[in-house]
């Protein structure tokens, strides 16, 4: 007798975002024994050797065609014309066929009435299958037919993703709870069917209003979806391809749900998913599998959206584990455009999120993460820009002083300044300047690490300062060009309301952040050293500018943190009005923002 699990195998996931790659032809699973609705087995129509009766006289090969008569003779009244009908009957049938051609069956209208009918039938299928399973627990053949019917009805629900206007009614009818309850079905293939439908209903490509999406998702959460998803994670066996695909689908559901930050935090708080993900990404595999990569990606998403999740991972010694996984890539690059490359990127994202927390910075120091990043900067290729980004986050904030001191002690200044002297893209430049700004802000005054830092800027006739000014000029030119483009759009009568965020994003892409950070670095140098002050003044004067241009940028950044209209005093007494934006979001806490404002105020005073 065929296994129940063999009856409901399906091809890849329905999600438009990604597909699970099967290792064999998924259609082959349908060639196994099938069961009709009465629970009786029926063959796939392919005869075997044993099916052929033994007959010694049987001739091999196809049968010969029958002998044709020499002449087909019609009856005397001419009633038969080869087809066995009279000419009058043939004319009538032709007329009926022509009439039917223009009357195709109308498609079924999908509305609330249709949904109620579908819901009623769906509930009946669930009840019938449950009753038969309970009654014939030891005789699977008796309930296989009802399981096949239930399987078909689950798949039929996927059409709702094309009609999100029915999501609210679908939830009110209780069908969402019934669908979610199938995740606990004894047959894992039924549970996986339900998970695939949930993927389709919650997919970001569904053209649903936020209210509609919330209605169906809230109903799923009330039905304890998160716990049931994790229960399925623990019962699936990845050595079985169907279960392996099922795990992939569960991760897809989690990706869809965590687009709402509150759900992301609930996942970390109410389930043991984070420890499981941390364990899953450590599995040793010949090549990085889809599920291993996807697990790392989901972990990164959970950490990005919740401080609580980051704290939970840090307490599970996650920073040390992640650094150990990354250490194998300090000199070796994964193959391009592979699961392994994405896996490494996700690992870097996870660590970077963790070091935004004070406890994460401490764990990074304990695990010698600063030293690992410096090795990657010197010898890595693919890992180099990601290690630079990690250092930028580790050194930043009010709690980054210890990491700043460790970077200097680990001989990291030579590495950082050698990279600064080369040309890079805007993102790499922004991280370099961010690291230098954090060093100048956090290293204690008159301490050996700070003296070594200032010495690096001054050595070789202030070449590092000259390079910083050059970066500043390049960024300022790109930002001015973007400002002119935005101004033309405003004068052209284009819609202005609600575009402030878009314009700010475009200015940041043009290099606004790098410009502001470069000016902060230069302002620190002006305040610290008389010789540096004179050198910066000379370099700016070559472009007809002065220290006032630095002061204007810092005032703009300070007022931006406070919100409201910003007026920065520019070179030659020119005043430029910047568009007001909402106050910057709190990233490292209000304490950090307050410290930044105080620092900027002090630097502005030194630039008078």
């Amino acid at each position: 007798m065929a296994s129940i699990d063999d009856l409901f195998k399906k091809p890849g996931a329905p999600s438009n975002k990604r597909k699970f790659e099967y290792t064999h032809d998924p259609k082959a699973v349908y060639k196994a024994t099938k069961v009709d609705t009465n629970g009786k087995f029926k063959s796939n129509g392919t005869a075997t050797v044993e099916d052929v009766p033994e007959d010694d006289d049987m001739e091999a090969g196809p049968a010969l065609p029958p002998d044709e008569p020499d002449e087909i003779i019609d009856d005397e009244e001419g009633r038969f014309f080869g087809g066995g009908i009279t000419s009058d009957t043939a004319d009538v049938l032709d007329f009926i066929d022509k009439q039917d051609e223009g009357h195709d069956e109308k498609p079924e209208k999908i509305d609330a009435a249709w949904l109620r009918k579908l819901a009623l039938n769906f509930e009946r299928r669930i009840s019938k299958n449950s009753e038969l399973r309970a009654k014939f627990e030891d005789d699977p053949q008796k309930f296989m037919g009802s399981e096949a019917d239930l399987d078909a009805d689950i798949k039929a629900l996927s059409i709702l993703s094309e009609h999100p206007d029915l999501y609210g009614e679908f939830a009110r009818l209780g069908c969402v709870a019934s669908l979610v309850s199938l995740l606990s079905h004894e047959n894992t293939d039924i549970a996986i069917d339900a998970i695939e439908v949930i993927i389709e209903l919650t997919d970001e490509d569904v053209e649903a209003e936020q209210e509609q999406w919330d209605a169906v998702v809230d109903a799923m959460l009330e039905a304890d979806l998160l716990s049931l998803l994790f229960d399925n994670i623990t019962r699936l066996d990845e050595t079985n391809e169907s279960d392996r695909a099922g795990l992939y689908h569960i991760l897809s559901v989690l990706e869809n749900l965590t687009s709402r930050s509150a759900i992301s935090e609930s996942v970390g708080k109410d389930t043991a998913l984070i420890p499981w993900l941390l364990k899953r990404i450590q599995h040793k595999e010949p090549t990085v599998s889809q599920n291993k990569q996807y697990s790392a990606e989901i972990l990164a998403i959970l950490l990005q959206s919740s401080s609580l999740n980051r704290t939970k991972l840090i307490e599970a010694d996650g920073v040390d584990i992640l650094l150990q996984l990354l250490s194998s890539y300090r000199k070796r690059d994964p193959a391009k455009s592979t699961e392994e490359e994405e896996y490494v990127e996700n690992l870097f994202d996870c660590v970077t999120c963790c070091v935004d927390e004070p406890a994460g910075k401490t764990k990074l120091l304990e695990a010698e993460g600063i030293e690992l990043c410096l090795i990657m900067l010197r010898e890595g290729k693919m890992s180099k820009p990601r290690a630079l980004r990690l250092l930028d986050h580790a050194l930043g904030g009010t709690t980054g002083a210890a990491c700043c001191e460790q970077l200097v002690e680990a001989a990291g200044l030579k590495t950082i300044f050698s990279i600064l002297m080369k040309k890079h893209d805007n993102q790499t430049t922004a991280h370099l300047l961010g690291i230098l700004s954090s060093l100048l802000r956090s290293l204690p005054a008159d301490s050996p690490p700070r003296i070594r830092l200032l010495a690096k800027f001054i050595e070789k006739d202030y070449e590092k300062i000259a390079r910083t000014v050059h970066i500043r000029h390049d960024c300022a030119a790109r930002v001015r060009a973007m400002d002119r483009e935005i101004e033309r759009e405003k004068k052209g009568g284009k819609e202005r309301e609600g575009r402030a965020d878009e314009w700010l994003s475009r200015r940041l892409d043009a290099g606004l952040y790098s410009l502001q950070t470069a000016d902060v670095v230069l302002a620190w140098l002006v305040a610290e050293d008389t010789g540096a002050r004179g050198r910066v003044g000379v370099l700016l004067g070559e472009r007809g500018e002065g220290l006032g241009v630095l002061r204007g940028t810092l005032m703009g950044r300070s007022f931006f943190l406070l919100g409201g209209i910003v007026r920065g005093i520019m070179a030659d007494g020119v005043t430029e009005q910047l568009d007001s934006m909402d106050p910057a979001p709190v990233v490292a806490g209000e304490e950090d923002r307050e410290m930044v404002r105080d620092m900027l105020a002090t630097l502005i005073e030194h630039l008078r």
Side-chain angles (χ1 to χ4, degrees), residues 361 370 391-397 400-401 403-404 407 435 438-439 442:
K361 297 180 193 294
I370 301 293
L391 283 177
D392 187 12
H393 282 254
L395 272 58
C403 290
C404 290
L407 183 138
I435 290 171
S438 296
L439 290 169
S442 299

Side-chain angles (χ1 to χ4, degrees), residues 17-28:
K17 295 181 294 185
R18 56 176 82 226
K19 299 287 187 182
F20 182 82
E21 296 179 4
Y22 286 82
T23 57
H24 61 75
D25 181 5
K27 295 181 180 178

Side-chain angles (χ1 to χ4, degrees), residues 325-343:
L325 294 173
L326 283 172
S327 64
S328 61
Y329 299 98
R330 61 187 182 276
K331 298 181 181 180
R332 176 180 71 87
D333 286 348
K336 291 185 177 181
S337 302
T338 61
E339 302 288 350
E340 187 177 14
E341 184 179 41
E342 289 189 51
Y343 168 73

